[in-house]
């Protein structure tokens, strides 16, 4: 494919790309992929309930943001903070023992080596357009006791489009905890932040990757592509609090034996918010466990989507795969679309999945009221407990307490 | 002044009339037993008094300590000092007994104009009440009723009652499903909480519990009304003869 032809696909999709695209193999591959697929519409099975194409049809313009010094809005202890702009650029590179942190401005490094840019449309667009990537390499055997906070303040005006990119490498035998906090209160509902994180978890390594997503009226698309090597342990917890449209694509590939992975999510929606979680776990090798728990509370006229797939390949005998999605609807006008999926090609596995969507247990509410709690207090207590099953996987105690408070705040806002 | 006065109470659930003109007066210091065959309306009475929204009151008045009980939300009734020990206590995963009771006690104390407990006071208070019903420490720390045996759930109800110190406690078939040891523990808890200022309504199917909690009055509820009242001897007579003779007498009348 000629360079002129491939450039044109980007200019067809978004404005402001001139001079933004480096001519390199990674960009060319991304553009070639995009030229074939375009931006997915609701006719696409993976995008049945979530209309992201509308934002592109409405017009998006690539913006670059300048870095300004910032302090985290979270009050967490035992944390090393890295302040990021819309497109995940920082000049606050901390120095951490056993960890290498840098901005990569070329696309040759390990970036793109998961191949995500040739599998998913928005990740391909990100790969063609991102300017700098934040790379964090936790070196072999390093045991990091602090949480690394990626503190990304999102501020996108009308029709603004930003692409941020992160690469996390946890080398063999290393242990680390990350929190990626997307936050902003001033985002336009016609803007879009398109983020990609690639993750490599080495042999015997352990990684906990937490997300908090709260971007006001804005739209956020995140793609997380994870590769785990044998004997590793990967946990991810995603808490979605506000946004007009939040879409998470999470793909985890278990590429060795004896890997354990936990995928947890908690989402709380109100008004016309739409939050969509798509997860995909590939079991390639024997004796691995994947355990998925996604829970949500939907109020107002909000829409939730959960699509979780566990794919057990022929060699992956003795796989343990568990998946559950539970939702509570607080309003007659809220909608949840839940689709847990198992696809199994090995014959000696233990897998289960389940999905429930219902209302709050009225008998339980009455029981609590009969002990003196008012209706809101009873409801809040039950919903907080419902979230608790997901939050218990968050290891940093101050983070867990912060999340509990944020959930309480959102409940209070729903009361009004 | 009486603590509870129920006049001509009529109530229905799912379009079916259950209570059909129920009258009862309870004074402080009294224990009333309400007995009756299945389907006579015993549990409906308990649910209506506690304010269960699934039951519809169609007529009648209920005065509780000088206030109109039927006008109050369930939580107001609890704060005013009415307590229902549930026949089937609800399991609430994820909410610990301790946190539940902390919230409930705080609400009730606030309503009664009492200073909130500090953490240390609360724990001491809870320890005292736990001992009253021989509730083990591990049960108190667990999620409300989750994985409890039938007997443990009923003991947990009496524990909650002790924590909230109500003026009027309604025990809805608290004896059902209890073995003799659990029955003794529950009864002894109730007896320790009895005083001249509070009152109990004990709803039961069998006379057995009344050997341990001796009532001042026994009423027979049949077809939504009290058809006979007496003292503890009435309970013994019912135990011996069953309910049929009352039904027959009513049919003859």
């Amino acid at each position: 494919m000629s360079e002129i032809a491939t450039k044109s696909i980007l200019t067809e999709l978004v404005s402001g790309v001139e001079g933004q695209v480096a001519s390199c193999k990674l960009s060319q591959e991304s553009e070639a992929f995009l030229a074939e697929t375009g931006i997915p519409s609701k006719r696409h099975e993976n995008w049945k309930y979530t209309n992201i194409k509308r934002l592109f049809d409405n017009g998006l313009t690539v913006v670059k943001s300048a870095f300004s010094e910032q302090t985290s809005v979270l009050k967490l202890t035992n944390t090393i903070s890295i302040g990021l702009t819309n497109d995940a650029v920082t000049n606050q590179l901390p120095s951490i023992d056993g960890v290498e942190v840098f901005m990569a401005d070329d696309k040759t490094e390990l970036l793109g080596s998961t191949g995500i840019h040739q599998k998913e449309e928005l990740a391909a667009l990100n790969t063609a357009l991102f300017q700098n990537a934040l790379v964090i390499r936790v070196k072999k055997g390093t045991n990091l006791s602090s949480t690394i906070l990626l503190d990304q303040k999102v501020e996108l005006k009308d029709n603004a489009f930003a692409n941020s990119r992160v690469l996390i490498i946890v080398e063999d035998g290393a242990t680390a905890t990350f929190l990626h906090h997307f936050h902003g209160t001033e985002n336009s509902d016609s803007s879009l932040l398109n983020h990609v994180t690639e993750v490599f978890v080495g042999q015997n390594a352990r990684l906990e990757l937490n997300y908090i997503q709260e971007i006001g009226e804005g739209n956020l698309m995140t793609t997380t592509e994870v590769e785990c090597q044998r004997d590793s342990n990967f946990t991810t917890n995603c808490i979605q609090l506000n946004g007009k449209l939040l879409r998470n694509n999470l793909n985890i590939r278990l590429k060795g034996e004896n890997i354990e992975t936990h995928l947890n999510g908690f989402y709380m929606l109100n008004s016309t918010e739409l939050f969509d979680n798509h997860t995909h776990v590939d079991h390639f090798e024997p004796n691995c466990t994947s355990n998925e728990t996604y829970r949500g509370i939907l109020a107002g006229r909000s829409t939730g989507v959960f699509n979780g797939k566990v794919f057990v390949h022929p060699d992956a005998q003795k796989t343990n795969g568990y998946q559950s999605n539970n939702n509570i609807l607080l309003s007659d006008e809220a909608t949840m679309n839940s689709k847990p999926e198992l696809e199994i090609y090995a014959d000696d596995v233990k897998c289960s999945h389940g999905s429930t969507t219902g209302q709050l247990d009225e008998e339980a509410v009455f029981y609590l009221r009969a002990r003196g709690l008012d209706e809101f207090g009873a409801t809040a207590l039950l919903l907080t407990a419902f979230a608790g099953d997901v939050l218990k996987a968050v290891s940093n105690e101050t983070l867990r307490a912060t999340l509990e408070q944020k959930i309480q705040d959102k409940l209070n806002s729903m009361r009004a | 002044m009486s603590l509870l006065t129920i006049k001509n109470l009529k109530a229905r659930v799912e379009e079916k009339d259950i209570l059909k003109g129920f009258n009862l007066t309870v004074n402080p210091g009294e224990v009333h037993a309400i007995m009756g065959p299945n389907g006579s309306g015993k549990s409906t009475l308990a649910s209506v008094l506690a304010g269960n929204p699934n039951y519809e009151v169609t007529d009648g008045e209920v005065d509780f300590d000088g206030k109109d009980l039927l006008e109050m939300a369930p939580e107001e009734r609890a704060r005013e000092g009415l307590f229902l020990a549930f026949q089937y206590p609800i399991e609430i995963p994820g909410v610990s007994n301790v946190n539940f009771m902390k919230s409930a006690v705080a609400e009730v104390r606030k309503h009664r104009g009492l200073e909130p407990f500090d953490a240390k006071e609360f724990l001491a208070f809870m320890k005292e009440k736990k001992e009253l019903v021989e509730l083990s420490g591990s049960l108190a720390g667990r999620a409300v009723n989750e994985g409890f045996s039938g007997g443990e759930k009923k003991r947990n109800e009496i524990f909650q009652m002790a924590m909230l110190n109500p003026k009027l406690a309604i025990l809805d078939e608290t004896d059902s499903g209890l073995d003799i040891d659990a029955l003794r523990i529950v009864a002894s808890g109730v007896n320790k909480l009895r005083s001249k200022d509070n009152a109990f309504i004990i709803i039961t199917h069998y006379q057995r519990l009344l050997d341990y909690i001796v009532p001042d009055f026994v009423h027979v509820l049949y077809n939504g009304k009290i058809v006979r009242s007496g003292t503890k001897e009435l309970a013994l007579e019912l135990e011996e003869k069953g309910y049929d003779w009352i039904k027959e007498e009513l049919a003859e009348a």
Side-chain angles (χ1 to χ4, degrees):
Chain A
M1 204 166 287
S2 77
E3 193 166 309
I4 290 163
T6 56
K7 280 277 166 56
S8 71
I9 180 65
L10 295 176
T11 48
E12 267 173 39
L13 298 175
V14 290
S15 314
V17 292
E18 292 76 13
Q20 301 283 320
V21 186
S23 179
C24 64
K25 182 167 165 285
L26 204 55
S27 295
Q28 283 166 8
E29 285 171 354
S30 304
E31 289 162 34
F33 178 74
L34 268 175
E36 275 175 37
T37 61
I39 298 300
S41 71
K42 289 179 83 171
R43 285 198 298 274
H44 195 299
E45 179 63 22
N46 283 337
W47 294 88
K48 200 170 165 185
Y49 304 104
T50 303
N51 190 349
I52 202 155
K53 192 164 183 295
R54 186 182 47 82
L55 291 168
F56 288 87
D57 293 345
N58 190 38
L60 286 171
T61 303
V62 175
V63 293
K64 284 200 73 177
S65 47
F67 185 79
S68 62
E69 204 75 20
Q70 66 187 76
T71 50
S72 172
V73 293
L74 299 177
K75 302 276 175 284
L76 302 177
T77 58
N78 199 19
T79 300
I80 299 160
S81 182
I82 305 175
L84 303 174
T85 61
N86 290 328
D87 35 19
V89 176
T90 185
N91 59 12
Q92 285 187 332
L93 289 173
S95 128
I96 311 166
D97 276 349
V99 183
E100 191 185 357
V101 187
F102 61 96
M103 297 301 306
D105 57 5
D106 61 55
K107 299 191 180 183
T108 56
E109 193 63 27
L110 270 166
L111 293 161
S113 59
T114 58
I116 186 66
H117 61 291
Q118 288 174 302
K119 286 197 330 201
E120 293 193 4
E121 301 86 349
L122 275 291
L125 189 58
N126 173 288
T127 307
L129 289 173
F130 81 82
Q131 297 298 304
N132 288 279
L134 174 66
V135 181
I136 301 172
R137 184 197 298 273
V138 183
K139 291 179 191 162
K140 201 168 173 175
T142 300
N143 188 344
L144 204 58
S145 57
S146 302
T147 299
I148 297 183
L149 167 61
L150 308 184
D151 183 26
Q152 188 165 0
K153 186 173 183 185
V154 185
E155 272 182 320
L156 292 171
K157 296 192 170 63
D158 289 349
N159 303 92
F161 181 48
N163 291 276
S164 54
R165 185 87 171 200
V166 169
L167 170 62
I168 296 171
I169 302 159
V170 183
E171 292 185 343
D172 295 355
T175 299
T177 303
F178 283 77
L179 165 61
H180 194 155
H181 185 203
F182 295 92
H183 61 97
T185 52
E186 306 297 320
N187 290 293
S188 160
D189 65 4
S190 61
S191 68
L192 175 64
L193 174 61
N194 181 26
H195 176 82
V196 173
T197 294
E198 289 177 288
V199 180
F200 291 90
V201 186
Q203 292 179 13
N204 265 308
R206 175 182 285 268
L207 172 63
E208 176 185 319
L209 174 58
N210 300 290
Y211 284 111
I212 304 177
Q213 304 184 335
E214 43 179 349
I215 56 158
E217 297 287 308
N219 302 294
L220 171 63
M221 162 87 212
T222 58
T223 305
T224 307
E225 183 77 9
V226 186
E227 284 192 14
C228 298
Q229 301 301 326
R230 68 173 172 79
D231 303 310
S232 61
N233 189 312
F234 173 67
T235 297
T236 179
N237 307 303
C238 179
I239 313 297
Q240 296 173 310
L241 294 165
N242 55 60
K244 184 165 191 274
L245 183 163
L246 301 178
R247 162 86 178 211
N248 283 317
N249 284 5
L250 169 63
N251 306 306
I252 303 177
R253 284 186 280 157
L254 309 179
K255 298 187 79 173
E257 288 194 47
N258 195 32
I259 300 167
E260 187 177 320
T261 183
H262 299 270
L263 310 66
N264 302 299
F266 185 76
Y267 38 92
M268 263 180 113
L269 297 78
N270 199 6
S271 62
T272 56
E273 289 173 326
L274 187 155
F275 300 173
D276 180 343
N277 286 286
H278 267 64
T279 67
H280 187 118
V281 180
D282 276 302
H283 285 259
F284 292 107
E285 300 286 335
N287 294 309
C288 293
T289 296
S290 64
N291 196 341
E292 176 165 26
T293 307
Y294 272 68
R295 290 191 165 187
I297 298 167
L298 296 92
R301 290 188 286 132
S302 62
T303 307
V305 183
F306 172 80
N307 189 322
K309 188 166 202 169
V310 175
F311 197 110
V312 182
H313 293 260
D315 290 341
Q317 301 294 358
K318 307 282 182 194
T319 288
N320 286 307
Y322 305 104
Q323 191 185 53
S324 76
N325 175 230
N326 309 107
N327 304 289
I328 293 178
L329 303 181
L330 295 180
S331 137
D332 291 343
E333 293 172 293
T335 309
M336 182 67 208
N337 305 287
S338 177
K339 188 177 174 193
E341 289 180 89
L342 283 174
E343 206 166 322
I344 303 173
Y345 296 96
D347 54 15
D348 182 15
V349 302
K350 256 196 281 187
C351 291
S352 67
H353 63 176
S355 168
T356 62
T357 298
Q359 286 156 338
L360 204 58
D361 181 355
E362 278 178 27
E363 285 193 344
V365 174
F366 175 63
Y367 187 70
L368 297 176
R369 292 179 75 190
R371 299 295 177 252
L373 276 68
D374 64 25
E375 191 168 8
F376 179 78
T379 304
L381 192 63
L382 292 171
L383 294 178
T384 308
F386 179 69
D389 255 4
V390 173
L391 296 190
K392 72 185 179 195
V394 175
S395 63
N396 182 318
E397 278 175 36
T398 50
L399 174 55
R400 200 163 59 236
T402 300
L403 290 171
E404 279 163 7
Q405 188 56 50
K406 283 181 178 292
I407 287 169
Q408 200 63 45
D409 292 346
K410 178 118 184 185
L411 280 174
N412 290 337
S413 78
M414 287 177 177
R415 186 182 202 174
Chain B
M1 198 183 75
S2 65
L3 180 59
L4 180 76
T5 312
I6 305 175
K7 282 186 193 156
N8 191 35
L9 183 63
K10 296 181 182 173
R12 61 197 310 189
V13 61
E14 291 165 1
E15 309 284 301
K16 190 169 186 296
D17 294 318
I18 309 281
L19 293 180
K20 300 171 181 172
F22 181 94
N23 296 289
L24 181 70
T25 300
V26 177
N27 293 305
E30 293 176 352
V31 174
H32 291 246
I34 295 180
M35 303 180 73
N38 281 333
S40 58
K42 301 191 298 293
S43 285
T44 297
L45 175 68
S47 297
V48 167
L49 292 180
N52 188 326
N54 292 330
Y55 294 81
E56 185 195 352
V57 174
T58 52
D59 200 6
E61 293 168 21
V62 181
D63 179 284
F64 179 59
D65 208 17
K67 290 179 178 153
D68 183 351
L69 186 76
L70 300 178
E71 281 297 304
M72 293 184 220
E75 59 270 27
E76 292 175 79
R77 300 177 195 208
R79 293 170 192 173
E80 284 289 330
L82 184 137
F83 182 89
L84 171 64
F86 282 59
Q87 184 179 0
Y88 303 109
I90 311 292
E91 295 192 11
I92 307 186
V95 177
S96 78
N97 254 331
V98 179
N99 282 342
F100 172 35
M101 277 298 105
K102 222 178 251 173
S103 307
V105 168
E107 289 293 349
V108 167
R109 285 184 72 84
K110 189 168 85 184
H111 185 77
R112 295 176 190 167
L114 299 168
E115 286 291 310
F117 283 134
D118 65 31
K120 205 177 148 198
E121 286 169 336
F122 179 79
L123 287 176
F125 181 71
M126 197 171 80
K127 185 163 179 281
E128 180 195 326
K129 302 303 176 190
K130 255 166 40 185
E131 283 164 5
L132 198 72
V133 289
E134 300 175 34
L135 192 75
S136 73
S138 65
L139 284 185
R142 270 161 53 183
V144 179
N145 294 326
E146 195 183 31
F148 285 28
S149 71
E152 287 167 344
K153 285 181 184 169
K154 296 301 176 77
R155 258 151 66 191
N156 198 19
E157 294 293 287
I158 304 304
F159 163 68
Q160 293 174 24
M161 180 175 85
M163 292 293 287
L164 299 177
N165 190 24
K167 291 178 204 156
L168 174 69
I170 304 161
L171 275 55
D172 186 7
E173 303 210 14
T174 297
D175 51 339
S176 68
L178 291 192
D179 63 30
I180 198 74
D181 291 330
L183 191 72
R184 247 188 231 132
I185 292 168
V186 163
S188 126
V190 171
N191 287 328
K192 284 177 197 157
L193 294 169
R194 275 174 88 162
S195 79
K196 64 176 174 36
D197 300 317
N198 62 24
F200 291 82
I201 295 176
I202 306 209
I203 293 172
T204 181
H205 211 71
Y206 303 104
Q207 188 269 338
R208 195 174 64 149
L209 179 65
L210 305 180
D211 283 342
Y212 298 95
I213 307 173
V214 180
D216 300 297
F217 301 97
V218 174
H219 311 277
V220 179
L221 181 61
Y222 178 66
N223 198 18
K225 286 181 182 179
I226 288 179
V227 294
R228 186 170 291 249
S229 295
T231 55
K232 63 184 182 197
E233 284 74 23
L234 177 59
L236 291 167
E237 197 176 351
L238 288 168
E239 180 76 2
E240 197 182 317
K241 305 205 290 196
Y243 291 104
D244 286 349
W245 62 280
I246 289 182
K247 293 182 193 170
E248 280 159 24
E249 273 190 24
L250 286 169
E252 280 165 27

